[in-house]
């Protein structure tokens, strides 16, 4: 009788240990997810800041962006290449943000993707860029970004 009671007590204690372990694991997963969300948001902030610095620290590029947003097609081929690289960087950042959001790893508090989609759909030079590089099959990226940029 004593052996049976001891075995039951050990079994109950083992089960309690498993439950405590599962609770601890759940807390660790939540903490890790929160940290990953914070890191994702910081990474996005750093990327946006880097893109912005390319404009406000370089007056020549700021002028190129200004002229290119008026008319991408009026730029010479070298200027178009420089500006297209910048625009693709913005599009790739939007793709990265959507990927983080798909995985639930973004705590972004402003609508970067919506902002960029709106800019590419309404600013004349950006629209010309989309018609030249994104609408044709040459674009390599997420289908949803291409669809957002090209839908009427």
């Amino acid at each position: 009788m004593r052996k049976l009671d001891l075995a039951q007590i050990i079994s109950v204690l083992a089960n309690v240990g498993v439950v405590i372990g599962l609770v601890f694991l759940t807390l660790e997963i939540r903490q890790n997810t929160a940290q990953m969300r914070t890191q994702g948001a910081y990474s996005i902030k750093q990327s946006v800041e880097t893109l912005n610095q390319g404009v406000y620290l370089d007056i020549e590029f700021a002028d190129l962006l200004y002229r290119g947003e008026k008319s991408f097609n009026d730029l010479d081929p070298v200027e178009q290449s420089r500006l297209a690289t910048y625009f693709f960087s913005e599009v790739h950042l939007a793709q990265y943000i959507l990927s983080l959001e798909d995985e639930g790893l973004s705590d972004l508090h402003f609508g970067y993707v919506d902002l960029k989609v709106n800019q590419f759909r309404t600013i004349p030079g950006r629209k010309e860029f989309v018609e030249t590089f994104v609408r044709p099959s040459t674009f390599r990226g997420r289908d949803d970004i291409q669809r957002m940029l090209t839908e009427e």
Side-chain angles (χ1 to χ4, degrees):
M1 185 104 150
R2 202 117 168 100
K3 286 184 180 181
L4 182 60
D5 291 339
L6 184 60
Q8 286 177 339
I9 290 171
I10 290 173
S11 178
V12 167
L13 290 176
N15 289 337
V16 168
V18 168
V19 169
I20 290 172
L22 289 173
V23 168
F24 178 73
L25 180 62
T26 301
L27 293 174
E28 287 293 316
I29 289 171
R30 284 184 181 175
Q31 184 179 26
N32 186 41
T33 301
Q35 182 179 8
M36 289 174 64
R37 290 173 64 90
T38 300
Q39 287 174 340
Y42 183 74
S43 173
I44 292 166
K45 178 214 168 285
Q46 289 295 101
S47 297
V48 169
E49 182 64 25
T50 299
L51 284 173
N52 288 341
Q53 284 178 352
V55 176
Y56 67 74
L57 291 179
D58 184 347
I59 195 156
E60 177 191 336
F61 186 75
D63 178 66
L64 173 62
L65 178 61
Y66 177 77
R67 290 184 294 113
E69 285 187 336
K70 283 186 172 186
S71 176
F72 184 82
N73 294 331
D74 286 347
L75 300 175
D76 68 45
V78 172
E79 291 174 327
Q80 284 183 347
S81 178
R82 284 186 70 196
L83 196 54
T85 300
Y86 178 79
F87 286 161
F88 272 123
S89 293
E90 291 181 327
V91 171
H92 292 149
L93 179 55
Q95 290 181 130
Y96 174 65
I97 291 168
L98 287 178
S99 295
L100 288 177
E101 288 174 354
D102 289 349
E103 297 297 323
L105 298 176
S106 176
D107 272 340
L108 197 60
H109 297 292
F110 71 99
Y112 182 85
V113 174
D114 293 335
L115 170 70
K116 289 302 163 185
V117 166
N118 185 52
Q119 287 178 337
F120 281 108
R121 293 178 72 194
T122 60
I123 296 173
R126 287 177 179 260
K127 287 169 60 175
E128 292 170 358
F129 164 79
V130 168
E131 292 301 317
T132 303
F133 291 101
V134 178
R135 188 173 297 278
S137 300
T138 59
F139 180 71
R140 299 290 180 245
R142 290 176 57 126
D143 290 341
D144 51 355
I145 287 285
Q146 186 167 7
R147 191 172 34 261
M148 283 189 264
L149 293 176
T150 58
E151 68 186 9
E152 298 299 323

